[in-house]
Amino acid sequence: MDPVAMNRDTYDVVADEYAQRNRGPFPGLVASVAEFAAAVPAGPVADIGCGPGRDLRLLRENGLTAIGLDLSRAMLAAGGLTGLVQADMRFLPLRTDSLAGVWSQAAMLHIPHAQVPAVLAEMSRVCVPGGRLFLVVAEGDGEALEPHPSGSGLQRFFAYHREEPLRKLLTDVGFEVTAVRREASHRRWLHISATQTG
């Protein structure tokens, strides 16, 4: 089975539980959204892999016109927000140069390494020159199936990234990395800020 489709099916089952568990912002998220909102040029932005919409809500509260995209229909429904599209980040249903920015937090970690260049190319394609990208991935090596913490027997696919290879992939599709920072919780996280160079 396609691991992306498997993750969609898992999130369709656990969407309501996920939405409850991730209702409020974690430390640093409010500041990260405000920083992104201040840096992005005028125009709409997209939260790609938005889930129930916690980050999407914050983007809108910071004055941005933001749409949310996620592959799981149940996750989109769980947050009760409007302006949502069910979509696969590997094939974004958005026009070229249609966005001032892309926000994608802890979503691309579900994409196999072999398909990541296509995802980043899509993010670059939909961003105007000068558009901003905020990308958060899990830091580490390899790919793995991991049991969902609900104990339901469901699994999710994860792909881990290192800074330098990810920088190269971003550069290859037209992004210039402007900042990198790290955080740790139950995983180690890479936070990448970048600008579409046109």
Side-chain angles (χ1 to χ4, degrees):
M1 174 185 276
D2 175 8
V4 176
M6 184 193 69
N7 281 0
R8 177 203 60 210
D9 293 346
T10 292
Y11 281 117
D12 278 346
V13 173
V14 304
D16 289 335
E17 173 201 336
Y18 183 97
Q20 288 296 322
R21 197 173 70 245
N22 294 278
R23 182 178 299 275
F26 55 82
L29 178 60
V30 172
S32 292
V33 171
E35 199 173 288
F36 175 79
V40 77
V45 303
D47 182 354
I48 296 176
C50 66
R54 177 199 60 201
D55 296 12
L56 181 63
R57 186 176 284 109
L58 285 172
L59 290 166
R60 292 173 177 174
E61 288 172 0
N62 275 264
L64 297 175
T65 299
I67 62 169
L69 297 90
D70 201 278
L71 190 57
S72 166
R73 185 179 297 275
M75 289 282 270
L76 292 171
L81 297 178
T82 59
L84 307 173
V85 178
Q86 185 180 20
D88 188 326
M89 70 173 65
R90 298 170 295 182
F91 313 100
L92 294 174
L94 299 167
R95 294 189 314 275
T96 298
D97 296 341
S98 60
L99 298 177
V102 165
W103 176 276
S104 187
Q105 175 144 218
M108 199 178 76
L109 51 71
H110 292 314
I111 300 294
H113 285 138
Q115 298 173 25
V116 165
V119 169
L120 295 177
E122 279 290 270
M123 291 179 178
S124 179
R125 178 185 66 80
V126 300
C127 272
V128 298
R132 302 292 301 209
L133 170 68
F134 182 79
L135 178 68
V136 178
V137 296
E139 186 175 26
D141 300 300
E143 302 175 333
L145 289 175
E146 300 178 14
H148 188 269
S150 63
S152 58
L154 296 168
Q155 290 186 308
R156 294 179 296 173
F157 172 88
F158 287 88
Y160 295 87
H161 294 270
R162 293 292 181 185
E163 179 183 343
E164 289 309 316
L166 186 54
R167 272 183 180 268
K168 183 180 185 310
L169 292 175
L170 287 162
T171 300
D172 288 347
V173 299
F175 283 113
E176 178 186 357
V177 175
T178 56
V180 177
R181 64 184 176 84
R182 289 170 167 81
E183 288 187 359
S185 58
H186 62 296
R187 300 183 195 277
R188 299 189 310 278
W189 302 102
L190 273 175
H191 296 235
I192 308 284
S193 296
T195 301
Q196 213 275 22
T197 59

